[in-house]
Amino acid sequence: MNTLFIHIKELLQTREKSEVKVMGKSMSELPHIKNAFLRIKGDTIHSYGSMNSLVIEATDKVVDVTDKIILPTWCDSHSHVVYAGDRSQEFVDRINGLSYEDIAAKGGGILNSAKTLQDTSESELYRQSISRVNDLIKLGTGALEIKSGYGLNTEAELKMLRVIKKIKENSSLKIKATFLGAHAIPKKYKDNKAGYVDLIINQMLPKIHQEQLADFIDVFCEKGYFSLENTSRVLQAATNYGLIPKIHVNQFNAFGGVALGIKHNALSVDHLETLNEEDIAVLKNSETIPVALPGCSFFLNLPYTPARKIINSGLALAVASDYNPGSAPSGNMNFIISLACIKMNMTAEEAINAATINGAFAMNVSKDYGSICVGKKASLIITTKLSSYRQIPYHFGNSPISKVMINGEFIY
Ligand code: NIG
Ligand code: FE
């Protein structure tokens, strides 16, 4: 099917293929064409330009999008969307005064989700998870990274990764899978953390490699979770199997995790609610991209990642949803863009760059996603009637979307 969009009010994020990430001051530039056309052939962007340069040729479908904006779908590079049940009781407990850490110390939190997931069948886990993924398409997400990490034993971690694989096979979204066995220490290993790391390295990783279930490796490098030494052991072992590191780091404490991630050539370092000068300095000497998760700060009432400090230092920044049952139970990237502007002082241009081109970089899908570029996949958001793209973050909580095209097909 070939589709031609005409009279596009603004065609956003038009880039050359060689541009895979925007950094520092360049993040405030959002290339766009006013009164544009966009031609799709099959699943691919064939050509685009201003309406007065449109060459007439036969096409299956012409869509007049007068007053509407078109932009690439969101690339959400950090999610835990495969989970069982929910943690709304903990939400109530927090409203009544307990902290996220208090709840985790009582055996709630990640361990609570792990217990529920271990007791849920693979088919039921798939049913719950694919329905969340399908809802995300309607909100404009076109590429999604999904982590394991609520299994915490070999059988349940494999179950999660097989569910992610099935989502990959059955969804039109671009999916990347991350093994996060090192998400929390199971109760059984409370006094033997190194023993759990041994299990990850000697039992889980070889099976995951055998079934080719993961693209990335992740570790929650944090006090009370995985130390620098244990993080390093997991990253080294996984790298030997060809997995690329993307780590949870500096959520509550900064103690050298960023430098450790960079030492292991991490693609991204995610969270960074606390960030010191040393972290900034090592990031500047690396290809690793920082990823902020403002939905988590919003939901847990925690400090936000210092986006201005990161961008003003000349670094790139991506934003992602962190969609998970405990710290960010929403995958709405439109709201993430609003939070980036309202709470992290990012401009609309910076926020949209962070959620498209830089998000694609943070999940290794820049070849096909993240910008409007000849030869990339036709995965597009067609907005409602808007006066400018600035209205996307401005109308926080509203959906700016009228239609979503994924790989050349209207899905919503
Ligand atoms: O990215 N910080 C670690 N992991 C998740 C939260 C997991 C949970 O509470 O279930 C996060 O915020
Ligand atoms: Fe996370």
Side-chain angles (χ1 to χ4, degrees):
M1 166 82 129
N2 296 345
T3 307
L4 173 66
F5 293 98
I6 57 169
H7 300 300
I8 306 166
K9 186 181 175 74
E10 291 171 332
L11 179 62
L12 285 197
Q13 195 62 299
T14 50
R15 301 263 181 189
E16 294 300 317
K17 208 155 195 173
S18 57
E19 290 176 278
V20 291
K21 128 171 123 168
V22 283
M23 307 162 72
K25 280 204 175 69
S26 323
M27 282 194 70
S28 55
E29 288 155 28
L30 186 59
H32 60 278
I33 302 172
K34 288 192 167 30
N35 195 21
F37 79 89
L38 174 64
R39 193 184 289 282
I40 311 303
K41 290 199 175 171
D43 65 356
T44 305
I45 296 174
H46 171 268
S47 51
Y48 62 82
S50 86
M51 273 306 285
N52 52 31
S53 66
L54 173 64
V55 178
I56 304 298
E57 94 179 46
T59 190
D60 300 324
K61 192 171 179 178
V62 178
V63 187
D64 185 330
V65 288
T66 299
D67 293 333
K68 296 176 179 174
I69 293 168
I70 293 187
L71 68 156
T73 44
W74 308 125
C75 294
D76 186 353
S77 67
H78 182 138
S79 93
H80 309 250
V81 71
V82 170
Y83 61 83
D86 68 73
R87 305 226 298 269
S88 51
Q89 181 55 48
E90 292 181 5
F91 174 58
V92 174
D93 293 342
R94 280 198 305 107
I95 293 168
N96 289 327
L98 289 184
S99 73
Y100 182 70
E101 280 118 317
D102 294 337
I103 291 167
K106 281 198 332 177
I110 297 169
L111 295 183
N112 179 1
S113 285
K115 167 98 189 50
T116 313
L117 189 137
Q118 288 163 7
D119 295 341
T120 302
S121 71
E122 188 172 316
S123 58
E124 173 58 17
L125 183 62
Y126 175 75
R127 196 191 61 75
Q128 292 182 23
S129 307
I130 191 80
S131 132
R132 291 182 202 113
V133 170
N134 287 335
D135 287 344
L136 293 182
I137 300 178
K138 299 179 199 151
L139 293 165
T141 296
L144 179 68
E145 181 262 16
I146 311 177
K147 299 173 194 298
S148 71
Y150 290 123
L152 305 185
N153 65 37
T154 306
E155 187 195 332
E157 283 295 314
L158 288 171
K159 175 163 68 182
M160 283 191 84
L161 288 165
R162 289 181 188 131
V163 165
I164 299 173
K165 186 175 179 192
K166 203 160 159 203
I167 294 173
K168 219 185 234 189
E169 289 163 357
N170 290 295
S171 164
S172 48
L173 282 195
K174 178 69 182 177
I175 304 286
K176 287 278 188 172
T178 300
F179 171 48
L180 175 58
H183 195 192
I185 308 287
K187 238 196 230 135
K188 200 169 131 190
Y189 290 91
K190 196 164 62 67
D191 302 314
N192 177 21
K193 291 184 181 177
Y196 183 56
V197 173
D198 290 339
L199 183 80
I200 291 174
I201 294 175
N202 300 325
Q203 209 182 82
M204 298 188 194
L205 272 171
K207 293 215 166 89
I208 289 162
H209 174 70
Q210 202 181 5
E211 288 187 46
Q212 290 290 299
L213 290 173
D215 304 292
F216 304 121
I217 179 74
D218 196 344
V219 177
F220 187 18
C221 180
E222 183 56 64
K223 292 205 169 135
Y225 292 81
F226 294 84
S227 64
L228 291 177
E229 192 198 340
N230 283 335
T231 301
S232 183
R233 285 185 62 207
V234 174
L235 295 185
Q236 190 54 56
T239 308
N240 292 343
Y241 284 111
L243 303 187
I244 298 168
K246 276 173 71 63
I247 62 172
H248 282 72
V249 75
N250 287 35
Q251 183 174 6
F252 302 110
N253 298 285
F255 54 91
V258 172
L260 181 76
I262 289 168
K263 191 173 141 218
H264 286 273
N265 294 316
L267 176 62
S268 71
V269 282
D270 302 28
H271 270 292
L272 312 176
E273 286 87 341
T274 59
L275 194 66
N276 60 34
E277 292 308 320
E278 269 166 57
D279 297 324
I280 296 269
V282 284
L283 279 165
K284 275 174 140 175
N285 279 317
S286 79
E287 281 299 308
T288 302
I289 189 165
V291 179
L293 308 167
C296 173
S297 301
F298 175 78
F299 189 70
L300 295 183
N301 266 319
L302 292 175
Y304 286 79
T305 303
R308 283 271 52 94
K309 191 164 154 186
I310 294 172
I311 297 171
N312 294 349
S313 304
L315 294 167
L317 181 64
V319 292
S321 73
D322 198 18
Y323 193 175
N324 76 74
S327 71
S330 163
N332 185 346
M333 286 294 283
N334 308 288
F335 184 56
I336 295 299
I337 304 294
S338 294
L339 288 177
C341 295
I342 299 161
K343 297 291 191 182
M344 291 162 58
N345 263 309
M346 291 169 71
T347 62
E349 293 80 3
E350 288 170 337
I352 293 170
N353 276 319
T356 54
I357 187 166
N358 284 357
F361 184 89
M363 59 185 292
N364 241 349
V365 296
S366 310
K367 188 175 143 293
D368 289 319
Y369 300 89
S371 65
I372 302 293
C373 174
V374 172
K376 282 197 182 184
K377 297 283 184 222
S379 287
L380 311 167
I381 291 173
I382 297 98
T383 69
T384 52
K385 292 185 176 181
L386 299 179
S387 64
S388 134
Y389 59 78
R390 294 188 181 89
Q391 288 197 315
I392 299 174
Y394 169 76
H395 289 296
F396 73 91
N398 289 1
S399 173
I401 295 172
S402 74
K403 280 195 171 75
V404 177
M405 173 178 266
I406 302 284
N407 300 332
E409 306 270 350
F410 284 108
I411 299 288
Y412 170 66

